[in-house]
Amino acid sequence: MQGKAIQQRLVERPVLPRPEGRIEAIDLARGIAIALMIISHAVSGLFGIRQLPDWGLVPVHLITKFSSSLFIVVFGIALAVAFLPRMGEADWSARRLRLMLRGLEVFFWYKVLTVVEMMAIFPREDILDALLYQRFPIWVEILGFYAIALLWLPWVLPLWSRLPLWSRLLLPVAIALAAGWLERHASFWGIEPLKAILVEDANHYTWGQLSRLPLVLLGLLIGEALLRGYWTPRRARVLLSIAGAGALMLLAFFALALGKAETTVDDALMAVARNVGKHPPELAFMLFSLGGALVILALCLQGGAAAARWLRPLTLIGGDALKAFIFHIVVIFGVFRYLLEAWQVYSYPQVLGIGVALVLATAGWIALTGWLREKRG
């Protein structure tokens, strides 16, 4: 009987309940991802990774490697919770349009912040090339990923919602393998920027639509599980599964490091801290980054609304991610790099302190603008 039930579950299509309320822990997890990103950007943007002391690389800068995977997975979770239960309803076309308009808004800020990032570092010709997709920025490039994803994912969500469970489980793995093969073997007609946008290229610091899509799909699967179990007695099982998957990935990372005779665990950790295997994604980096991201996500969900209240600054940041991104990029590159010419002016501990202070300042900015908006309303 149990085997038959599993078989039926694998072929069923999702009929998801609507959320019973806002899951503030999702905002907290997104806020943690952005906070780690802010610290990483402050360090790399004002000091430089190559100049970091060993203790700055491991453990400090190493921990920030969880941020990108956590951010993208939470993006998928938010899509699942907010949109999958409403698939097929009369207002779905309006919801799809709102998602696409959000993508255009993100695209606008991506281009504006590209100028902000590059104006203190590059000549105008290089900035123009970046605006025209002849080259790419570094620190704001993840906005380019989200902007493009929000333009085409709304058309894919209805197809995803009609797939049986077994195919939804296999699809992230299949796409990851296909993207890896395309990155290594496909020429994309010699159009390097196109390759960078789709599957990433070693010459560009980009987030490929196909190479990072498995993380979005994983987020959709987790979102489905949360919709089914977050408000039920099955919650502990769901959270344990997320945490267990993350822990297994971290163990696999260390097993992979120990299995290489020419390297040590310290070498493997240093490589991750220096972004080896981040663009294009490689197995060791992704095991570490995604494993840590899932553990953080499970802890946030376990803490729930109470943790979101106790860590209110991070929850505020996660609740308005675009505003947080705009603010910290303008401060780091517009104020410090451009106006103050503060490249490698401060010591590493000072830059690290600036990053932590910037996290709090970002939360304060979001709170202030929210308060002003309420007063005007």
Side-chain angles (χ1 to χ4, degrees):
M1 291 293 293
Q2 187 176 3
K4 187 175 181 180
I6 294 175
Q7 185 178 8
Q8 290 176 341
R9 183 71 185 277
L10 287 174
V11 298
E12 73 178 5
R13 290 166 174 79
V15 178
L16 299 172
R18 291 192 179 188
E20 297 181 18
R22 186 176 181 87
I23 306 178
E24 290 185 307
I26 295 177
D27 288 338
L28 175 59
R30 189 190 293 112
I32 291 174
I34 297 172
L36 292 174
M37 192 180 299
I38 290 172
I39 293 172
S40 176
H41 288 175
V43 170
S44 58
L46 298 179
F47 193 79
I49 294 178
R50 294 179 181 178
Q51 285 72 40
L52 291 184
D54 286 349
W55 66 269
L57 281 168
V58 180
V60 178
H61 206 64
L62 179 71
I63 298 172
T64 66
K65 303 309 163 188
F66 301 143
S67 65
S68 58
S69 294
L70 180 58
F71 201 22
I72 298 175
V73 169
V74 170
F75 171 57
I77 294 172
L79 285 177
V81 172
F83 295 100
L84 285 186
R86 303 177 184 276
M87 205 65 60
E89 294 183 358
D91 64 345
W92 167 243
S93 60
R95 293 179 182 276
R96 179 176 59 205
L97 178 61
R98 284 199 295 272
L99 275 175
M100 296 176 69
L101 290 175
R102 180 66 167 176
L104 292 176
E105 180 186 6
V106 174
F107 184 82
F108 168 79
W109 283 110
Y110 162 57
K111 291 303 181 182
V112 170
L113 294 178
T114 293
V115 177
V116 173
E117 174 191 319
M118 297 180 68
M119 64 185 182
I121 310 169
F122 295 95
R124 285 179 296 177
E125 293 78 8
D126 288 348
I127 297 174
L128 183 60
D129 283 346
L131 293 176
L132 297 176
Y133 278 109
Q134 299 304 302
R135 60 182 300 158
F136 298 89
I138 296 175
W139 292 275
V140 306
E141 186 54 41
I142 196 166
L143 279 192
F145 167 82
Y146 283 111
I148 297 173
L150 283 169
L151 294 177
W152 69 269
L153 275 176
W155 300 93
V156 173
L157 288 177
L159 301 176
W160 172 268
S161 67
R162 291 196 291 268
L163 292 175
L165 179 59
W166 68 266
S167 60
R168 300 201 309 279
L169 291 173
L170 288 179
L171 202 55
V173 178
I175 291 175
L177 293 174
W181 187 91
L182 288 170
E183 186 273 320
R184 291 188 298 272
H185 301 289
S187 66
F188 290 88
W189 306 280
I191 307 174
E192 198 170 275
L194 178 63
K195 179 182 178 182
I197 291 171
L198 293 178
V199 295
E200 305 188 20
D201 184 272
N203 295 323
H204 301 284
Y205 195 92
T206 55
W207 306 83
Q209 294 293 305
L210 291 179
S211 56
R212 306 294 166 164
L213 179 59
L215 296 181
V216 179
L217 300 184
L218 176 61
L220 290 176
L221 290 169
I222 294 173
E224 290 181 28
L226 292 177
L227 285 169
R228 295 178 187 275
Y230 190 75
W231 294 276
T232 72
R234 297 197 301 272
R235 171 175 170 164
R237 188 190 311 167
V238 172
L239 300 188
L240 184 61
S241 298
I242 297 171
L248 286 175
M249 288 182 181
L250 290 174
L251 288 174
F253 166 81
F254 287 109
L256 187 65
L258 291 171
K260 294 181 179 179
E262 67 276 10
T263 62
T264 65
V265 171
D266 287 342
D267 294 332
L269 292 175
M270 281 290 186
V272 170
R274 291 191 174 99
N275 293 330
V276 176
K278 187 175 183 179
H279 299 284
E282 295 179 4
L283 179 60
F285 186 96
M286 293 309 301
L287 285 173
F288 184 85
S289 178
L290 182 55
L294 292 179
V295 171
I296 292 172
L297 174 63
L299 291 173
C300 291
L301 293 169
Q302 178 61 36
R309 285 193 301 271
W310 277 101
L311 299 171
R312 185 64 179 167
L314 297 176
T315 307
L316 279 172
I317 290 173
D320 202 337
L322 180 58
K323 188 178 291 183
F325 201 94
I326 294 168
F327 182 80
H328 91 270
I329 291 295
V330 169
V331 171
I332 292 172
F333 295 96
V335 176
F336 280 98
R337 283 291 292 259
Y338 183 69
L339 295 178
L340 300 180
E341 298 182 343
W343 170 244
Q344 295 184 345
V345 168
Y346 307 109
S347 68
Y348 173 64
Q350 288 175 320
V351 169
L352 191 60
I354 290 172
V356 173
L358 188 52
V359 171
L360 298 176
T362 302
W365 174 251
I366 292 172
L368 175 62
T369 53
W371 178 79
L372 291 174
R373 186 169 58 249
E374 289 179 1
K375 288 295 183 182
R376 287 199 305 269

